[in-house]
Amino acid sequence: MSLRILLCVCAMLSISLAAEQWQPLNGPLGGDVRCMAVDRSDPSSVYLGLGTHASMGSEYADGGGLFYSNDAGDSWRRSSLQNVKVSGITTAAGRIWAATYGEGVWAAVEPSGAWIPENSGLGSPTVLCITGTADHLVVGTMAGVFHAHPDTAVWVPAEMPGERQIWGLASAPWLPELMLAATDSGVWRSDTGGDVWSFAGTGIEQTNLRSIAVGADGRCWAGSRPGSNQDAVVYCSADTGRTWAPCAPLPASRADGVWSILPRPESVLIGIGWLGSGMGRVFRLRDGAAEWEEHASVHYRSVRALTEVPAGGDRILAGGESCGGVLCSTDGGDTWGYRLTGLDAGNVYSLRIVDSASGTIMAGLGFSGALARADEWGASWTRVDSLFPSLFVRGLAVHPSNPETLYAAAWNRLYRSTNGGESWASMSASVSQATGIDLSAADPSIIYAGATQGVSVSQDGGDTWSDPDSTLPGTVKAVVADPRNARHALAAREWSHVYETFDAGVSWDTLAIQSCRTLALHPTDPQWIYAGANGGVYVSIDGGATFQFLTSGLPGLWVNAIIADPQDPAVIWAGTPGGVYKSIDGGQTWHFNSDGMANLDVRAFEFHDESRRIFVGSHSGGVHWAFADATPTDGNSPGTPQPLALRLQVSPVPCVDEVRISLLGEVGPDNGVRVALYSLDGRRMHSGGFGPGNSCVWRLGHLPAGSYVLRAESSSAKASQALTLVR
């Protein structure tokens, strides 16, 4: 890596514009729940961790962080641990311990207080699961099992022969030395608190396991992820995990895996994902029963977490891989209802302003097939559940003169509402797996819809549609209509070109750009066209005759959303799995512009020109808004903070393992500054805050040798510093 390239990356990370400060819109409610845990010292305190689904380039994205409840799961609050993928939670030694996917283990005394990275000796920052007792902490990582004492938090590799992935860990307070691990090679058992392990999978045929649990009666349970043409299996052990036998077979429709298990007196509950329909399920098996009972059909891709809350009576909480959030049963699982208050981390795939006069916004949610409606610019949110038997709503369109008429592109088909979203009816049966929908203010009777089969066009307001196979076949990732000419539209085909029609889809011309995922036409200047691709943005200023591929300052990730200022086509916002980036020079240079966002995995934009506000939707981050101008235009804007001069000092140089990072200048101990380490392709490798003396010490021995960039940020300033690791 040349010094010139490294200096360019540092400059990109340190340049600070008069950037927007994003504010939460308090919804939509929900979140991609991956794990839950009840505090052992306070049975009314519950913690949940949010992750992100690895699609649309989001393998590099942040997760939704950690939320907590002090009322047994009835309402939720954001903790101060945000923008991380939380894969497991436990409590031990008076602290909350959060395992993360990519940033190791974090601990805090209070969820709203300071979180400290506890990664000394940890062999991998990718932690898949965690469990703990009063004297033992155990984590499963991509580099094997590690154990530590909660008081010292120095991780030591466990003795477990071979290499395997650890997908689940279980412990029992009444047997503090017993630990069980669900791995991709069966069950492993430790009788020494997690430091020495032996194989304990006798009787398990499907060895690719995803979940494990120990019941109060000593019985143990494990669930599999099936291979091709197999059904998932739940196994039970009556001798604390030494030998196993399969339980009653699951129903005939195949599950994609048993992701969570909750042993209960005289029964066991499991959470699964369902192949085909994409909806998760909760099942119960009573002792001695020959069949499983379906307890809840939930709007989750899969049910990833089940936990019992002792303070809530016969209360069970369920959470899953979607924007569905948390379901609660107060009668042991017979009936269920949502508990979403405060959980403003919905997974937003599409976003449209429905009515400017009333401040009504509609959001299409991912992996649950639901819509959410905000009134009075987010003063209240209403979710419409069970609206579509679909995994997600990728596109929304609004009739320009009648906001009661709405259109939705859901994964299973197209829908129309004529009463502002209160009820919906399906339109085209020939369009399934829809990816987007748009119409033109010039003639809203002409509607374009993209799908995996191609582009379908309606010329009568959605009553009839063309066959996508004969219009523009192939998987279409994005479609956009010209707001000035309804017969003009663009469509982006997957791994292929962008196409243009001037006759409402009868014929299509090929443009000289390809592999794009999002498209935009400037609403007032017809010469400007924008297309988001992998690592950059295509911009045309001559109506598509020529394009420039512009990347300077972008993080090298997919651009999944794009929008331009209606008053200035050279001001552009690009949404990536690594946050919002803004250009004020037509895309020639880009700058990180995500301050205040709860999650950086951006999926959708919307613009309200009258108030000069831009809205952004993200995965497990809900909707945020900001004023589009450097100087906000109304009295609701926050005051402009005074610049805070930031400088970083790193020692030693170069770094082998341990590095001390110091914050220099006139900054107080409660400075609110966070620091993160990035690879040169934009991936965040490590992050944290500053301790006493405005310094922190990191151990980076798990990272490969090479050049990295440190970035420190406050609400008003940024600083960056090159860091070199040698081995």
Side-chain angles (χ1 to χ4, degrees):
M1 181 62 64
S2 71
L3 179 61
R4 181 181 63 83
I5 294 175
L6 181 59
L7 290 175
C8 288
V9 174
C10 290
M12 177 267 286
L13 292 171
S14 62
I15 290 175
S16 178
L17 294 174
E20 289 81 16
Q21 178 70 32
W22 297 95
Q23 307 292 330
L25 206 64
N26 303 318
L29 302 180
D32 189 349
V33 180
R34 296 306 179 99
C35 54
M36 287 191 287
V38 177
D39 196 316
R40 290 190 176 94
S41 62
D42 181 1
S44 64
S45 294
V46 189
Y47 310 103
L48 67 83
L50 303 183
T52 188
H53 185 67
S55 65
M56 299 181 72
S58 63
E59 58 270 23
Y60 297 131
D62 294 317
L66 187 142
F67 281 71
Y68 66 100
S69 171
N70 292 327
D71 54 13
D74 282 336
S75 63
W76 301 93
R77 300 178 183 178
R78 285 187 181 273
S79 76
S80 52
L81 183 65
Q82 291 295 311
N83 279 314
V84 293
K85 304 174 188 176
V86 181
S87 53
I89 307 169
T90 192
T91 58
R95 291 206 285 175
I96 311 155
W97 301 81
T100 71
Y101 193 92
E103 296 194 41
V105 178
W106 294 72
V109 176
E110 296 290 340
S112 59
W115 287 82
I116 301 171
E118 295 285 10
N119 296 318
S120 178
L122 194 62
S124 169
T126 302
V127 184
L128 303 175
C129 48
I130 187 170
T131 191
T133 64
D135 297 320
H136 303 285
L137 287 172
V138 179
V139 296
T141 77
M142 298 297 284
V145 176
F146 290 78
H147 67 99
H149 193 282
D151 292 337
T152 60
V154 176
W155 299 98
V156 178
E159 295 182 20
M160 179 182 282
E163 296 183 0
R164 56 192 47 82
Q165 292 183 334
I166 315 299
W167 293 105
L169 289 165
S171 58
W174 56 93
L175 294 171
E177 302 299 312
L178 173 65
M179 301 280 177
L180 295 177
T183 78
D184 56 0
S185 59
V187 172
W188 289 70
R189 173 191 171 99
S190 173
D191 292 301
T192 57
D195 59 344
V196 179
W197 295 78
S198 59
F199 179 73
T202 301
I204 293 179
E205 295 184 359
Q206 285 190 21
T207 58
N208 188 11
L209 303 178
R210 285 300 185 269
S211 55
I212 197 159
V214 181
D217 58 3
R219 287 185 297 175
C220 304
W221 308 82
S224 75
R225 183 172 193 184
S228 178
N229 298 318
Q230 291 182 315
D231 293 320
V233 178
V234 178
Y235 295 92
C236 181
S237 170
D239 54 8
T240 61
R242 291 182 175 85
T243 59
W244 300 80
C247 299
L250 289 167
S253 297
R254 288 182 55 213
D256 71 351
V258 180
W259 298 100
S260 52
I261 302 176
L262 177 62
R264 306 199 74 233
E266 301 179 353
S267 67
V268 62
L269 271 66
I270 62 169
I272 66 171
W274 215 241
L275 291 177
S277 71
M279 296 298 183
R281 301 287 193 275
V282 176
F283 281 90
R284 177 172 66 184
L285 182 66
R286 300 179 187 271
D287 286 355
E291 295 182 355
W292 291 86
E293 306 167 5
E294 183 175 328
H295 262 227
S297 177
V298 297
H299 293 280
Y300 300 151
R301 187 181 177 95
S302 57
V303 179
R304 291 298 183 110
L306 285 167
T307 191
E308 193 168 28
V309 185
D314 203 10
R315 174 174 292 220
I316 300 169
L317 300 179
E321 181 191 356
S322 72
C323 67
V326 177
L327 279 171
C328 175
S329 172
T330 58
D331 53 16
D334 291 332
T335 60
W336 297 80
Y338 282 108
R339 294 295 189 273
L340 302 177
T341 301
L343 191 60
D344 56 347
N347 177 11
V348 179
Y349 262 79
S350 49
L351 199 59
R352 283 292 179 266
I353 294 173
V354 175
D355 188 352
S356 295
S358 62
T360 301
I361 302 174
M362 193 75 75
L365 307 183
F367 300 110
S368 72
L371 286 174
R373 177 189 178 112
D375 294 306
E376 299 179 16
W377 302 113
S380 63
W381 284 85
T382 304
R383 253 181 67 151
V384 185
D385 290 308
S386 303
L387 179 60
F388 310 123
S390 166
L391 286 180
F392 38 73
V393 180
R394 285 285 184 112
L396 290 167
V398 183
H399 194 286
S401 60
N402 180 13
E404 293 292 301
T405 301
L406 310 175
Y407 303 91
W411 186 242
N412 65 324
R413 63 181 57 192
L414 303 173
Y415 291 85
R416 175 174 55 191
S417 172
T418 58
N419 55 10
E422 294 296 327
S423 62
W424 295 78
S426 63
M427 291 187 292
S428 172
S430 63
V431 176
S432 63
Q433 299 183 357
T435 56
I437 192 166
D438 201 16
L439 51 78
S440 170
D443 183 356
S445 66
I446 299 178
I447 310 170
Y448 301 85
T452 56
Q453 308 103 309
V455 174
S456 186
V457 182
S458 172
Q459 300 199 44
D460 53 15
D463 291 337
T464 61
W465 292 81
S466 66
D467 186 346
D469 289 332
S470 61
T471 306
L472 180 65
T475 298
V476 172
K477 301 298 290 185
V479 62
V480 61
D482 189 334
R484 301 162 301 272
N485 176 7
R487 303 186 69 79
H488 177 218
L490 301 177
R493 285 176 55 183
E494 185 174 33
W495 308 119
S496 183
H497 289 276
V498 172
Y499 296 84
E500 183 176 37
T501 181
F502 287 94
D503 52 17
V506 176
S507 60
W508 296 83
D509 299 322
T510 303
L511 298 182
I513 55 175
Q514 57 186 354
S515 298
C516 298
R517 286 187 171 178
T518 184
L519 298 168
L521 293 166
H522 194 268
T524 60
D525 190 333
Q527 297 302 304
W528 286 75
I529 301 173
Y530 317 90
N534 189 9
V537 174
Y538 288 101
V539 177
S540 173
I541 61 173
D542 54 14
T546 61
F547 283 87
Q548 283 185 291
F549 187 58
L550 306 172
T551 63
S552 178
L554 288 171
L557 303 176
W558 278 102
V559 175
N560 293 322
I562 194 164
I563 198 168
D565 189 331
Q567 297 185 16
D568 186 348
V571 178
I572 317 165
W573 290 264
T576 77
V580 176
Y581 287 78
K582 181 180 180 180
S583 173
I584 60 174
D585 55 10
Q588 298 298 319
T589 57
W590 299 86
H591 307 280
F592 184 75
N593 191 218
S594 304
D595 291 345
M597 290 185 60
N599 190 288
L600 301 182
D601 190 0
V602 175
R603 307 297 178 92
F605 285 118
E606 180 65 309
F607 204 102
H608 186 245
D609 198 22
E610 290 86 347
S611 64
R612 301 295 297 155
R613 284 191 284 184
I614 184 172
F615 298 85
V616 58
S618 65
H619 183 109
S620 281
V623 177
H624 286 69
W625 69 273
F627 289 105
D629 304 309
T631 303
T633 58
D634 67 29
N636 293 324
S637 62
T640 302
Q642 295 299 312
L644 176 65
L646 299 182
R647 287 188 296 135
L648 293 173
Q649 183 181 72
V650 177
S651 63
V653 178
C655 169
V656 177
D657 179 8
E658 186 174 280
V659 58
R660 176 175 292 276
I661 306 162
S662 300
L663 183 63
L664 306 181
E666 297 180 1
V667 290
D670 299 322
N671 49 63
V673 179
R674 300 277 294 177
V675 63
L677 182 71
Y678 290 83
S679 63
L680 295 187
D681 60 2
R683 288 180 290 167
R684 189 169 67 178
M685 313 302 291
H686 200 86
S687 65
F690 289 97
N694 289 325
S695 66
C696 58
V697 176
W698 291 352
R699 290 188 179 275
L700 303 176
H702 61 280
L703 295 178
S707 298
Y708 297 83
V709 176
L710 280 169
R711 184 173 70 203
E713 295 185 39
S714 72
S715 61
S716 59
K718 298 180 176 74
S720 61
Q721 172 72 43
L723 185 148
T724 301
L725 292 178
V726 296
R727 295 287 179 260

